[in-house]
Amino acid sequence: MKKIFLILLVSLLSFSNLIAEEGMWIPSLLQKMNEGEMITMGMRITAKDIYDINHASLKDAIVSIGGCSAEIISDQGLLITNHHCGYSRIQQHSTLEHDYLTDGFWAMNKSEELPNAGMIARLLIRIDDVSLEVLKGVENAMTEEQRDVIIKKNIKEITEKAEKESGYEASIRPFYYGNQYFMFLTETYKDVRLVGAPPSNIGKFGGDTDNWMWPRHTGDFSIFRIYADKDNKPAVYSKDNVPYKPKYHIPISLKGANEGDFTFVFGYPGRTEEYIPSYGVDMNVNVVNPVIIDLRTEKLNIFKKYIEQDRLVRIQYASKAAGVSNTWKKLIGANKGLIRFDAIAKKQAYEKDFINWAGSTPSLKSEYGNLITDLEKVYGELAPYQKASTYLREAGNGVEIIRFASGFKSLLEAEDEAKFEKLLTSKQKDVASFFKDYHQPIDKEVFEKLLAMYQKGSDPAYLPDFLISIQSKYKGDIGKLANEVFKKSIFASEAKLTAFLKDADFGKLKKLQNDPAYELAADLDKLDEGKLQPQIKKLGNELAKLQRIYMKAQMEMQPEKRFYPDANSTLRVTYGKVKPFDPSDGVKYKHFTTMKGIIEKEDPNIYDYVVENKLKELYQTKNYGPYADQDGSMHVCFIAANHTSGGNSGSPILNADGHLLGLNFDRVWEGTMSDLNYDPDYCRNISVDIRYCLFIIDKFAGAGHLVKEMTIVE
Ligand code: ARG
Ligand code: GLU
């Protein structure tokens, strides 16, 4: 009896070891790969409820809005995503008079909803494995170039056929580094209107200080609506469009997320690199990341100084600063984590095992015997070019006036009259939007500081010409170069540039070639196109091939292991439990936060920590309506062990019944290394509790009519 119990216990234990919270899975393969495990972990719905091509399923409510995820929560096309995902839209509608970033925005009826030119909502129709068709005609002995030609041709044929037959858009993406290919049929709606956004002191509460951190108190949500033509089909904005009628919208749970609950996240993670060798991690940690971190530290200091002094500058630079800061802080966290948890050493140990395995039979040896040394060699050659390219992008093109000027290159290189006219009109429009959010004193300071760092930090062999000639021309003084550029360049003056473009023809535009800002942009281009990109492309091709073989080999080496494909901006499901964690010795993090923490963090003198009286009043009177937790408090955010990445922002986090618990919007700092090295003890995704969103909509903003549209499960 005892023995049986022991055996049972042992097998249960080893089974629970198998339960991996790591992984971003392909929705169409859930039934085969994950359903059993998901049910064991507590799920009460089936894989078919999540992804089905014959009946309405959850996937019909999951939307890509380009870079972020979103989900449909009413039968009238109401769409919810993060505040930071709607941020640039909210910002574009903001002026000093209508500062929606600061004050929030709420459409009290459909006629007040604001159109967003260029915003899309992409829905997935179906996913198909097309590996055999895409790889038809490909042979091992081919060069990468030959292989690419065949694959491109196959992809073109398959997608054209699929589009013709289905009437939907088709796109094909490589998985497992090109060992497999999947096709995605999608439908893209083009009229997406802003419906509501809380003020930044709720939607971005804690700002960049709290970003990537736990405990968190951010109400990171905003609301849009998809519009369609009268046949419910995609159409560009028209006042005659009507709210989109979705196949499915997600019911909302008021039960909250309790410790140990099963959850899953359904959305569009952008990019992970879990299967690259130690040399790739090394290049990130020691070569590329430090350059980005140093340059952005300087840039952010400059932004901050000006933003604090001037309300208009805050509006102009809020979105830019958030973007610069976000990657900066993530990389600091990722580097810390990768070093703290010995990611490189772990990979090296794994590579040792791999080398042993690859040497174990003559046939493996001939196929994979040199793989690791080849990878080492190519990464070694690539690293200096990646470093130079990072400087070019972050420092050179990190100066707004230079990047703006470089945008005119296409105009000067237009092939014919028609193209030229089209580009000219679009550039004329760009001018106004560029200057709307441009503050020259900031840019001038960025110019001086970042280019000086570029000059000092980059390998002299890969400096743009102007940073070499500056020695003789300006005695190395970047300040003098800056004075010259900002005084003489036409790109420094909205009035002059607008007048110049007004009735410009090709001959006149050629003059731009001698513009001092344009010249700098041209030098950067020359360096990039002449010295860097050809090498990066060549080595990138070699790497693509090696990495594809390495991926295949790893799967062969561990036939019993379930491999998930690295994220590639396609729809994925990841699942894990609501779980507290211990970030460091002596510290324990609970799995949720409440409004108490908002009051604790309040600081009326710091923009990101202002708490409005209205919110305080609701807190003091506990006026939470049906949105309070069972414990009587208002929960704000929670963490769970879901393997998410950038792009998963706005993704729904769902419970065992497939009901909405919240919106994913971040990861904890200790776990931002997870794109390269997932660790179940330290990686947590952060979500805003949907009940807090509803409370803000209903009680704070008085937009209860929106909640009435939704399907609420008590
Ligand atoms: N870190 C989250 C993400 O990667 C949120 C970013 C927006 N918030 C901010 N404070 N910048 O997108
Ligand atoms: N905030 C991120 C995004 O915009 C999600 C957080 C993450 O990288 O996990 O996608």
Side-chain angles (χ1 to χ4, degrees), residues 68 82-85 87 203-213 216 218 220 318-319 321-327 330 608 645-647 649 665-667 672:
C68 274
N82 291 144
H83 183 262
H84 79 262
C85 295
Y87 202 70
K204 203 181 174 227
F205 183 78
D208 293 327
T209 315
D210 283 15
N211 191 23
W212 298 112
M213 310 271 240
R216 193 66 158 276
T218 312
D220 199 344
S319 190
V324 173
S325 161
N326 195 39
T327 307
K330 177 188 157 176
D608 292 325
S645 188
S649 275
F665 72 95
D666 213 0
R667 274 174 284 169
T672 48

Side-chain angles (χ1 to χ4, degrees), residues 346-360 372 550 557:
K346 272 190 212 145
K347 290 246 177 201
Q348 283 166 344
Y350 175 77
E351 282 149 21
K352 259 206 176 129
D353 290 345
F354 180 88
I355 290 170
N356 284 337
W357 172 78
S360 62
I372 299 294
Y550 188 37
M557 178 171 93

Side-chain angles (χ1 to χ4, degrees), residues 186-204:
T186 56
E187 188 165 41
T188 304
Y189 285 81
K190 298 185 177 80
D191 183 356
V192 186
R193 302 186 196 169
L194 178 63
V195 174
S200 288
N201 57 35
I202 291 173
K204 203 181 174 227

